[in-house]
Amino acid sequence: MIESALVLFRKDQSLLPVIVVIPGDPLILSWTFERIQRFLFLSRDDLSVNTEHRAGGDLTAADLLALAKEKPLFGPRRLFWVTQAEKVDGLLEKGIGQALLSAARKGNTTVVLEMGEKKASLLADIFPVFRTEPSGTLRQRQAEALSWVHILAEKKGTRLENGVAETLLRAFPEQMGQISSFLDRLSAPESGKIRTVTREDLKQHGLEDPLESVFRLFDAWEANDRRLYGQWERFIDNGQSPLSFLSLWHRQWRLYAIAREEIRSPSDVEKFATKNRIPPPVAEKIRKTARSMTRKTLREGYALLRETDLSLKSGGDPSLIMLRFLAGMSFLSPGKWERHTEKIRTGR
């Protein structure tokens, strides 16, 4: 079974002699490495002398077994970390896994095999396997990413007020390195004290909750107002990326689709708001817009979102790509079709 590396941060978690780590987010991977070191070594002096890194391409399974059996020279335990472990010749052969477990126990060594998910899954019946990036459904990824943000805050000696972690993730979707850099800009907590970071702190340092700007953005889109392009420029000026903009638009489009199919009564609006963590007035506004949209409109919007995402990730000019996207979405605006259906006044 492949689990999140969050499991390793539980207070009662124990560490087996051999584990597998799937690399993902670089910052989460580095935290996991530090956490494993803390499991093994009480003294900072032991961290470097008892930790050894090797590349999988330089080892065979026999080499790995021999290294795992060696007794530590400078302490009671040793950490042996193998990068690109899928390249270790013979590692996946029958019996090697159990032999490696036995060797590591005898040598008082902890072996960490860092390897890609495809090969790691083949070892999941023998060793615990941990993934170092959020995974699963959108809701599962969001919940896991929130946990990682709170761990990051703890490592910086801060505590996040309710809603702050969510705002950071909306501004920097699953980008822990950027969240870390932003939190570093905040004043450091006093020695021995934990500082509480508020949403006001974020605003004072130039970070606006993307949801606030996205409300204005969709107000402009729904009315087929040219200010839509101005809201896009403001979004970028606030330090957001085209991909994060597209992510927010995809979320909104998903809400339109769900609202169109599920909301039939006022009680449904309340359920929809609670389920999707949005204020009831916003849920009602989404409901009204969704009623004016057809399934054909929703399908065309999804197609445009997919095409734009692929174009951005293929290295095209972001400005041109996003202008084309906005023009396409303007054509799908409910406001556009409302204007087309208004009666023409002839003055007669």
Side-chain angles (χ1 to χ4, degrees), residues 187-230:
S187 58
E190 295 180 24
S191 178
K193 292 186 178 181
I194 295 177
R195 180 193 168 179
T196 299
V197 176
T198 67
R199 280 176 281 195
E200 190 59 35
D201 290 326
L202 303 186
K203 290 180 180 178
Q204 288 178 0
H205 286 78
L207 181 65
E208 180 184 41
D209 187 338
L211 276 186
E212 294 181 14
S213 58
V214 94
F215 290 152
R216 293 191 294 270
L217 176 85
F218 281 98
D219 281 345
W221 173 74
E222 289 167 3
N224 195 33
D225 193 318
R226 287 187 176 276
R227 283 177 295 181
L228 170 66
Y229 295 90

Side-chain angles (χ1 to χ4, degrees), residues 37 188 192 194 293-294 296 328:
Q37 282 188 314
I194 295 177
M293 300 173 75
T294 65
K296 180 175 182 291

Side-chain angles (χ1 to χ4, degrees), residues 65-82:
L65 289 171
L67 288 164
K69 289 178 184 177
E70 292 179 3
K71 296 288 184 180
L73 296 176
F74 303 106
R77 295 205 60 79
R78 182 176 61 148
L79 172 60
F80 187 57
W81 190 291
V82 183

